[in-house]
Amino acid sequence: MATTARATGGASAPSARRARGDLERGARSSARARASASFDDDVDGDSNRHDGDVGQFLGAMIRGERGRKLPPGRVGLFGCRETLEYVTDPNGFVRRRVERYGPTFKTAMFFKPAVVFGSKDAVREFLTFEAELPADEALPETFRELHTEYGALRMSGKRHQATRANFKRVLGRFALETYAETIGERTRAFVEDLSGRSRSKSEENGEKVVSFRPGVECVDFALDLLFELFLGHVPDERYKRAMVAYNAGLLSLGKWSPEFKSGRTALDELVRYCENHFRSVVAANELDDPKYFFYKQYSTAKDENGETFSDERIATTCVLMVWGAYIEAAALMGHAFTLLGEHADTRRAVAHEFSDAVCSPMDGCRRIATLDDIMALKFTNAVTKESLRVMPQTAGGLRVNPSDRSFDGYDIPAGYVLTADPRIPFRDEAIFPDPDEFKPERFIAGTAEAGANNVANDTFFPGGMGQHQCPGINLATVMTSVFLAEMMSTFGDRGWREKTEKRYVTVPIVILDPSYEVELFV
């Protein structure tokens, strides 16, 4: 397979550049984002200089920044302009500022002053003190409330350590081995159902196609699968709609918004459902049933004081786990799928690898059933990682700087948010040569492309870094690898064509808009 991977070479058209162009053209209200960028005033790192930007001058006065050496960029008075531009087009927002100011700049995120950085040296320095920084205050108020007191993103210290230790029980290697059979079975069923929906497109040549909307169907599939992995079954449509409403409420702009209110109601409904279901499983003495692996693990989970989790905390954790994994996995599936649409050789390499791993001339192709089966898909796994690099889904996490400090050669005031943004190193020529090219071989040891890249924890961190690194990134990549293998073995040879222009939803993470549709050739 290494030979096949090298042969594909990623040397086709610059799909990464087109992907970013699609994102900018398709992002909601992108015109407003460009307009906002067009009247930004130049502001250098010296907060005494404002170059006619009154909002920045007043903001620097109020925050006590005059005379300090801050990074270049603009925060403004209350951070409104920057916040709105960021939530409209996060990836474009970061790219434009890096081009203008370099890999470290000041701005505002969610109406809070922030320093965004991504150079290798800055990331390494950040990791030396990152564990000391609180995360809770950096989050938007709406997110803090809906993420609940049990959300790890709100925790620090011993409480956070105990919570993260419990994650390993349901997201570590043993858990992935337990989930692998269900992932393989449900993914095969999804692709077979998709293929079975084929219709004749042309009576003259017998062409058959399948309409597929990845922005909707990947979300539905990932949500169903995560519910089954963590609850042991898929609840009815009412609770799936509630999860979508909860996701929408997390980054609503205020508690007054209808999205927040709906998210609050949805969270309460989901927690009640999971708590009642957990209690029914316990009452029926079914915790040892393999399908209730998640419940079994959390039934003995301990907090930082050695106390067993309450039923309500187990239920809330289950909701947070499903939420955190389904939207991330669905976004990755959609991005990888669209990128493969532009690379016929890479599609066929994925299909060929799947055939080598689980097919035989005598018995045909069995479904993927073990973690070893998934780990054998080295090239496919590399496709998922390169997709995360080319189409990053989100920022790297927010931390509050509690006291004045020197960082990356600058004076950072107390109260500033610090965030190591993966979108900065992902486009750094010194780290990933030819960053506009889609090259899965970057992540395959022994290839020339891998040798030219500098892939490490401080240069490739799509799930964030440090104490709040996303614990579910491995589960999302496992699900996506199986999805790509099955999809390419069925549709990869002939590919597909777009029926509608790509559009993206950009918050809370970048994901394909539900309106995007393609026709798969059968």
Side-chain angles (χ1 to χ4, degrees):
M1 189 58 230
T3 302
T4 304
R6 283 193 293 272
T8 61
S12 53
S15 64
R17 186 182 303 116
R18 287 201 298 272
R20 276 187 293 276
D22 289 336
L23 179 58
E24 290 172 23
R25 288 191 298 273
R28 292 175 175 174
S29 304
S30 59
R32 181 177 64 178
R34 289 192 296 271
S36 175
S38 68
F39 59 75
D40 258 348
D41 295 307
D42 283 320
V43 180
D44 65 18
D46 184 351
S47 288
N48 283 311
R49 295 184 58 188
H50 53 88
D51 295 332
D53 189 330
V54 176
Q56 174 63 27
F57 175 74
L58 293 176
M61 290 282 290
I62 292 171
R63 293 186 296 269
E65 298 171 1
R66 296 195 65 190
R68 301 190 186 193
K69 182 184 179 184
L70 270 72
R74 183 186 190 280
V75 179
L77 181 55
F78 301 114
C80 295
R81 180 195 303 179
E82 287 68 27
T83 294
L84 292 175
E85 186 181 346
Y86 178 79
V87 299
T88 299
D89 180 12
N91 290 352
F93 176 91
V94 173
R95 177 183 55 77
R96 288 189 292 271
R97 276 151 182 77
V98 171
E99 290 174 352
R100 185 172 185 177
Y101 301 123
T104 300
F105 59 89
K106 69 174 182 282
T107 185
M109 286 191 168
F110 305 108
F111 310 106
K112 295 181 175 68
V115 171
V116 182
F117 56 92
S119 71
K120 191 169 184 175
D121 289 343
V123 170
R124 284 179 174 175
E125 183 180 354
F126 179 66
L127 286 172
T128 64
F129 62 84
E130 180 269 341
E132 308 166 7
L133 304 182
D136 185 33
E137 294 179 9
L139 298 169
E141 184 180 8
T142 52
F143 190 100
R144 287 203 305 272
E145 181 164 329
L146 292 184
H147 198 54
T148 81
E149 63 176 310
Y150 303 131
L153 288 175
R154 297 192 58 184
M155 297 178 183
S156 57
K158 292 182 178 179
R159 192 175 196 216
H160 179 257
Q161 292 172 9
T163 297
R164 294 284 297 195
N166 287 308
F167 286 169
K168 295 178 182 178
R169 305 169 70 172
V170 294
L171 295 171
R173 184 177 181 87
F174 180 70
L176 295 179
E177 290 173 347
T178 302
Y179 302 147
E181 184 173 5
T182 300
I183 293 172
E185 185 176 301
R186 297 296 176 263
T187 306
R188 171 66 62 88
F190 173 81
V191 176
E192 287 180 346
D193 177 72
L194 189 61
S195 179
R197 286 159 31 190
S198 65
R199 70 183 193 280
S200 295
K201 182 71 174 179
S202 172
E203 297 296 337
E204 294 181 1
N205 58 20
E207 181 182 79
K208 289 187 175 182
V209 298
V210 174
S211 291
F212 179 49
R213 291 193 296 157
V216 172
E217 297 187 64
C218 287
V219 167
D220 288 345
F221 169 65
L223 185 52
D224 283 354
L225 181 53
L226 268 300
F227 268 129
E228 183 166 359
L229 293 181
F230 294 159
L231 274 71
H233 75 289
V234 180
D236 64 38
E237 194 67 28
R238 169 185 175 182
Y239 297 101
K240 292 193 285 184
R241 289 197 302 269
M243 186 62 75
V244 174
Y246 172 61
N247 177 62
L250 279 163
L251 283 185
S252 51
L253 291 179
K255 290 185 176 182
W256 45 265
S257 69
E259 291 83 6
F260 175 80
K261 295 174 183 177
S262 295
R264 175 77 265 177
T265 300
L267 174 61
D268 292 342
E269 187 176 19
L270 287 164
V271 170
R272 283 196 304 271
Y273 178 84
C274 292
E275 186 172 358
N276 290 336
H277 183 249
F278 172 71
R279 288 174 174 171
S280 70
V281 170
V282 173
N285 293 317
E286 294 179 337
L287 272 180
D288 289 327
D289 189 321
K291 69 181 180 180
Y292 297 127
F293 172 84
F294 182 94
Y295 281 164
K296 175 70 172 180
Q297 297 302 310
Y298 266 92
S299 68
T300 58
K302 305 287 186 182
D303 66 15
E304 67 277 12
N305 299 314
E307 299 291 330
T308 303
F309 278 18
S310 67
D311 293 353
E312 186 256 347
R313 182 167 183 178
I314 292 171
T316 305
T317 299
C318 188
V319 172
L320 295 177
M321 287 283 196
V322 173
W323 165 75
Y326 98 86
I327 195 70
E328 185 175 73
L332 179 53
M333 290 175 187
H335 296 329
F337 172 83
T338 57
L339 287 165
L340 286 177
E342 302 175 5
H343 295 81
D345 287 345
T346 308
R347 290 198 307 271
R348 295 182 187 117
V350 171
H352 180 70
E353 183 176 61
F354 173 82
S355 179
D356 284 349
V358 299
C359 301
S360 71
M362 296 293 294
D363 301 322
C365 296
R366 62 177 174 84
R367 62 177 171 78
I368 293 170
T370 68
L371 187 60
D372 286 342
D373 288 341
I374 300 170
M375 293 298 99
L377 305 175
K378 296 184 183 300
F379 183 73
T380 307
N381 291 329
V383 169
T384 67
K385 292 178 180 178
E386 178 69 344
S387 298
L388 284 168
R389 186 195 69 81
V390 169
M391 289 293 291
Q393 300 173 9
T394 188
L398 309 176
R399 312 286 187 271
V400 172
N401 181 46
S403 58
D404 292 355
R405 77 168 66 241
S406 175
F407 171 66
D408 197 28
Y410 297 105
D411 302 323
I412 310 300
Y416 258 70
V417 170
L418 293 172
T419 179
D421 199 299
R423 292 168 288 207
I424 297 174
F426 289 2
R427 284 189 46 77
D428 189 336
E429 290 267 4
I431 297 171
F432 296 104
D434 303 319
D436 286 336
E437 296 290 336
F438 181 68
K439 295 182 178 181
E441 295 80 9
R442 298 179 196 274
F443 297 97
I444 299 178
T447 63
E449 289 81 3
N453 288 272
N454 188 348
V455 180
N457 291 336
D458 50 12
T459 60
F460 186 71
F461 45 97
M465 63 168 58
Q467 63 176 332
H468 291 288
Q469 184 177 18
C470 175
I473 191 71
N474 288 334
L475 177 57
T477 54
V478 161
M479 290 170 58
T480 300
S481 292
V482 179
F483 170 79
L484 294 178
E486 291 283 1
M487 287 289 286
M488 294 311 108
S489 70
T490 302
F491 303 107
D493 186 52
R494 297 189 63 198
W496 50 87
R497 62 183 167 219
E498 293 184 335
K499 288 187 67 178
T500 62
E501 183 182 2
K502 288 190 191 74
R503 296 180 63 87
Y504 292 84
V505 177
T506 58
V507 173
I509 67 172
V510 178
I511 189 170
L512 283 166
D513 188 270
S515 65
Y516 178 60
E517 184 176 0
V518 302
E519 286 185 336
L520 305 166
F521 297 113
V522 180

